[in-house]
Amino acid sequence: MSRTTRSYDVFDTVVTRAFAHPRDLFVHLGERLGQRGLIRLPPLEFARLRWTTELAARQKTPGREVGLAEIYRELALRLHWDEATTAAAQDVELEVESRHLHAIPYLQPELARARAEAGRLLFLSDMYLPSAILRAWLTREGVVQPDDVLLVSGEARANKNSGKLFAIARQQTGGDYARWHHAGDHPVSDVAKPRELGLTATHRPEAWLTPRERQARGSEGEFAEVWRSLLAGAMRLARLQRQPADDREAVLWETGATVAGPLFTGFVRWVLAEAERRGLRRLYFLARDGQIFWRIARALQAGDEPRGVECIYLHASRLLFAGVAEAGSPAALRTLIAPGATYHSLHQSLVALGLDEAWAKAHLPARFQSQDRHANLPQPEREALADWLLAPAQRALIEPAIATRSTQARAYLDAAGLRAGEPVALVDAGWFGTIQRSLECILGGSSGPAPLTGFYLGLMPAGDRPLAGEAIGYTNQFAPLPLLREESHKVLIELMAQADHGQAEGFEQREGSWRVRWQDIGPVKLAEVGLFQDAVLAFTRQTLAVADVAIAPPDEYARAVIGIYRHLHDHPTAREVRVLGFLPHSDQYYEQRHAGLCAEMSLREIIAAIRDYRQRPPHWWIPGQATLGHAPVLLLFRWLKALWWKTTGRPD
């Protein structure tokens, strides 16, 4: 009995390009030819000429299958090239194709299994490139082995769409259509036609651009700008790095590779460039949101991007430095003790002031001693606690606790090299600059807070407690997000920037220095955090591979990647919401209670939530909730809310 025959399409099945669309490569080719003095045409004009010339060459050839040499003979006639110029230009196209061709990594195990079953693999491509050159590239990428067969239509003068390339492959290999399985991305030439011939076939469209990748390419026409095509191509290549085990893993990986990866990498590149421009020596990436930013920065610097700035990951939290900036303001201290948050416990109030269990047992009145320290404290009880703690007698007790925290924090920061007057800056996701304000107070002296610079992914409008230094928001500068009106933005971004460790809740002295003490990680799944960060870094590495090809205008790039994120927030799919909308989050100083951005809700529950904010999930993700059902009601509510904010003149 004959062995099974296994064949694969080549482009966008087992390999794909760094460019989002094959024709976008011609624009870059035009740039390269111009740089070498081989053409004087603008790149886009050359790209159109290269494409129309190929179509013309096909019209002159029986079966419309041509080789690259024939295309360049036709191109030479139109551009009046001599033989040497034609050969040089063709070599440039081959260089560009070679550099930007990549294997689809997760298919390698499948190819190995198929080869073990069939003995060798057949690769069939409707392509004008010479098979000898293409084979060398596929060998380099680990796709083709010595015994495998490669057939290209330009040499065979036959293509898959007609079925003739399959016939030639059968003649050369003795394959049996009845025991032949083919896989490829084209629904006709790789699926319908082989099935018509009697083969079995699998459609493999994984390399097709997703809606967000098409959005990144930014063009529905024949050609896209080089940087946009490479952005979309990097998103695709990062997405194709891994074959997820299930749908949940698929959502996390794809979101990391195609949404968080572009947004976070764009942000960190901007931060590094700004730091270099301002002459800063060190950047402190603040835990926990800053962990993935710091890892991106290290990857970028390993790839020869700005190295003159030292990048340090600083374990920090609002809780770790709380109370110091608020010590001189009874109103600010009251907000720490008795916030209007849905959930707040006695324990949270005390820890925010640096007061421990021993202090509580020694000093708290009986009415608070009887409270469950971790239970939700009703607002009247929070206010009563604030009245008692802020009374003159207790102020004398809490001020030393805050002073001790400040002393410990200053020693901790000094050990990390963070001191007043240094050319340094902080990096964080956002949103109020709370940690920056606290650090300015801790590092300051009798003359006042020490000004610091902070780079943030996004910032809320400045409140009534200004910073001593400067705070700069990436999204604020390039494409503002409605952070006040739709607080789901804050949480969704923080969920994408989760770290693989818990919150820093206090200091402890070890080996003669102050170090942070960790809070438990809570319900967060560390394996999922690691998976997501790997996906983000996969995108960063893909952009590094083509960093010298096209320099994107910083403002356009920022608007593009922020727009990709906005598409996720405003138009999520149901499968995305089922994962992202139910990841546990907490925005509290002491993370005792976790919630999701969405919930399983009936129409009655949704109407109740619209009428009373206390019935909603914290930071309710309305577009996400609408994807799960009852969209007309929810989207009308969202529209009316936006209209109300606009008519009342409130900032987003």
Side-chain angles (χ1 to χ4, degrees):
M1 180 181 291
S2 62
R3 299 188 73 168
T4 300
T5 299
R6 298 294 299 270
S7 63
Y8 288 86
D9 170 49
V10 177
F11 286 87
D12 289 336
T13 298
V14 295
V15 293
T16 194
R17 296 175 175 90
F19 290 93
H21 192 284
R23 287 196 293 272
D24 297 339
L25 181 146
F26 298 155
V27 183
H28 176 51
L29 175 60
E31 294 175 339
R32 293 290 305 279
L33 292 174
Q35 291 164 3
R36 297 197 181 189
L38 297 175
I39 62 169
R40 294 182 179 179
L41 297 174
L44 184 58
E45 188 175 334
F46 171 81
R48 292 194 181 99
L49 179 62
R50 167 62 180 81
W51 174 233
T52 56
T53 298
E54 179 181 329
L55 296 178
R58 291 181 183 278
Q59 291 288 342
K60 296 179 180 180
T61 306
R64 298 189 176 182
E65 291 300 330
V66 297
L68 187 64
E70 293 165 296
I71 295 171
Y72 269 78
R73 280 198 293 271
E74 184 73 22
L75 199 55
L77 291 174
R78 299 188 180 205
L79 291 173
H80 309 292
W81 282 341
D82 58 23
E83 190 173 320
T85 304
T86 304
Q90 182 173 317
D91 286 344
V92 174
E93 176 162 341
L94 290 172
E95 289 173 13
V96 171
E97 280 278 16
S98 175
R99 176 177 177 183
H100 296 285
L101 190 70
H102 301 278
I104 295 177
Y106 77 74
L107 273 177
Q108 297 304 306
E110 178 184 326
L111 295 179
R113 289 191 298 269
R115 189 176 286 111
E117 175 189 341
R120 65 179 176 182
L121 297 180
L122 311 185
F123 293 94
L124 312 178
S125 182
D126 291 342
M127 170 51 63
Y128 47 76
L129 292 170
S131 62
I133 292 175
L134 181 56
R135 186 181 188 98
W137 298 344
L138 296 177
T139 301
R140 178 196 70 197
E141 295 298 314
V143 172
V144 166
Q145 297 296 320
D147 291 337
D148 294 340
V149 175
L150 170 64
L151 295 175
V152 297
S153 62
E155 292 174 346
R157 301 300 191 191
N159 56 41
K160 290 177 292 171
N161 196 60
S162 67
K164 292 179 180 179
L165 195 60
F166 290 103
I168 293 172
R170 181 174 63 171
Q171 291 169 4
Q172 290 191 12
T173 65
D176 179 0
Y177 283 168
R179 294 179 53 77
W180 187 324
H181 185 82
H182 180 74
D185 75 298
H186 198 282
V188 177
S189 60
D190 290 316
V191 181
K193 178 54 69 172
R195 287 177 180 173
E196 180 184 314
L197 295 172
L199 290 72
T200 58
T202 300
H203 192 207
R204 302 302 300 259
E206 292 90 343
W208 290 6
L209 297 179
T210 66
R212 293 195 187 103
E213 290 160 5
R214 292 197 298 271
Q215 177 187 356
R217 182 173 179 258
S219 174
E220 294 300 326
E222 289 184 330
F223 306 97
E225 294 177 83
V226 171
W227 72 265
R228 279 191 168 275
S229 185
L230 290 173
L231 167 61
M235 292 162 63
R236 172 174 61 189
L237 279 164
R239 172 172 58 83
L240 295 174
Q241 289 288 312
R242 182 186 182 103
Q243 187 171 30
D246 53 37
D247 199 54
R248 181 179 180 86
E249 191 173 292
V251 167
L252 291 170
W253 182 266
E254 184 173 329
T255 305
T258 67
V259 180
L263 178 64
F264 293 171
T265 302
F267 168 58
V268 174
R269 268 190 166 144
W270 170 77
V271 168
L272 290 173
E274 280 293 303
E276 189 175 51
R277 186 180 68 82
R278 291 163 177 257
L280 301 176
R281 289 209 302 264
R282 286 192 303 281
L283 290 172
Y284 289 89
F285 292 77
L286 303 182
R288 289 173 295 169
D289 300 342
Q291 185 186 61
I292 185 58
F293 304 150
W294 172 67
R295 288 177 172 168
I296 292 170
R298 291 202 305 172
L300 291 174
Q301 290 186 323
D304 289 331
E305 299 212 5
R307 291 184 172 184
V309 182
E310 183 183 6
C311 296
I312 298 171
Y313 185 51
L314 184 70
H315 295 301
S317 70
R318 291 180 299 165
L319 179 64
L320 195 64
F321 305 118
V324 180
E326 295 82 2
S329 168
L333 283 173
R334 177 172 287 274
T335 300
L336 276 182
I337 301 165
T342 304
Y343 182 91
H344 187 77
S345 69
L346 176 62
H347 185 66
Q348 288 173 285
S349 292
L350 298 177
V351 171
L353 300 177
L355 305 175
D356 57 20
E357 291 292 321
W359 188 95
K361 290 179 180 178
H363 298 288
L364 276 183
R367 68 178 291 187
F368 298 116
Q369 291 280 5
S370 61
Q371 294 271 4
D372 179 346
R373 302 284 169 83
H374 300 287
N376 193 20
L377 200 62
Q379 193 66 38
E381 288 297 291
R382 300 179 198 180
E383 300 296 341
L385 177 64
D387 290 340
W388 184 81
L389 284 169
L390 296 177
Q394 279 64 247
R395 283 294 300 267
L397 293 174
I398 66 174
E399 284 174 355
I402 294 175
T404 297
R405 168 177 278 174
S406 180
T407 300
Q408 294 171 349
R410 190 177 294 110
Y412 168 68
L413 297 171
D414 186 74
L418 183 51
R419 308 176 189 96
E422 295 274 332
V424 302
L426 312 176
V427 184
D428 199 3
W431 307 94
F432 297 97
T434 303
I435 296 179
Q436 180 176 337
R437 183 179 295 105
S438 296
L439 293 181
E440 288 177 341
C441 290
I442 290 167
L443 297 176
S446 57
S447 59
L452 290 172
T453 297
F455 295 112
Y456 299 94
L457 188 57
L459 285 166
M460 293 286 200
D464 56 1
R465 297 176 61 209
L467 295 164
E470 184 180 14
I472 312 131
Y474 182 64
T475 59
N476 300 63
Q477 182 167 330
F478 295 109
L481 300 174
L483 296 171
L484 280 175
R485 174 165 50 87
E486 294 187 299
E487 292 192 343
S488 48
H489 282 290
K490 296 189 307 176
V491 175
L492 187 56
I493 288 172
E494 287 178 0
L495 286 172
M496 295 194 299
Q498 285 188 100
D500 59 10
H501 59 77
Q503 181 189 31
E505 65 175 355
F507 295 103
E508 57 187 14
Q509 202 162 25
R510 285 184 288 164
E511 300 174 0
S513 62
W514 289 102
R515 302 185 184 183
V516 299
R517 183 176 66 253
W518 300 110
Q519 185 178 335
D520 183 79
I521 192 66
V524 174
K525 296 179 180 178
L526 291 182
E528 293 186 344
V529 173
L531 174 77
F532 197 90
Q533 289 200 359
D534 285 347
V536 170
L537 293 170
F539 172 85
T540 305
R541 287 191 293 270
Q542 292 299 333
T543 61
L544 283 171
V546 293
D548 63 322
V549 175
I551 299 174
D555 55 341
E556 291 186 43
Y557 190 92
R559 285 193 289 270
V561 297
I562 295 167
I564 292 164
Y565 159 73
R566 286 292 296 265
H567 189 273
L568 170 67
H569 180 275
D570 295 346
H571 306 285
T573 64
R575 60 193 287 268
E576 289 169 338
V577 175
R578 288 288 176 195
V579 177
L580 303 175
F582 292 84
L583 290 175
H585 73 83
S586 176
D587 68 339
Q588 307 194 358
Y589 271 77
Y590 197 88
E591 297 178 351
Q592 292 178 259
R593 181 174 183 265
H594 290 76
L597 282 168
C598 298
E600 298 291 352
M601 302 176 75
S602 66
L603 179 58
R604 176 177 294 181
E605 289 169 328
I606 284 171
I607 292 173
I610 289 172
R611 298 166 89 178
D612 183 355
Y613 75 93
R614 291 168 295 187
Q615 305 298 315
R616 306 170 191 170
H619 309 294
W620 202 15
W621 184 15
I622 298 174
Q625 190 73 56
T627 304
L628 301 180
H630 312 296
V633 174
L634 286 160
L635 296 180
L636 176 62
F637 168 62
R638 184 180 184 230
W639 180 81
L640 290 172
K641 184 179 180 182
L643 180 63
W644 183 80
W645 279 66
K646 183 177 181 179
T647 55
T648 56
R650 300 184 65 178
D652 272 338

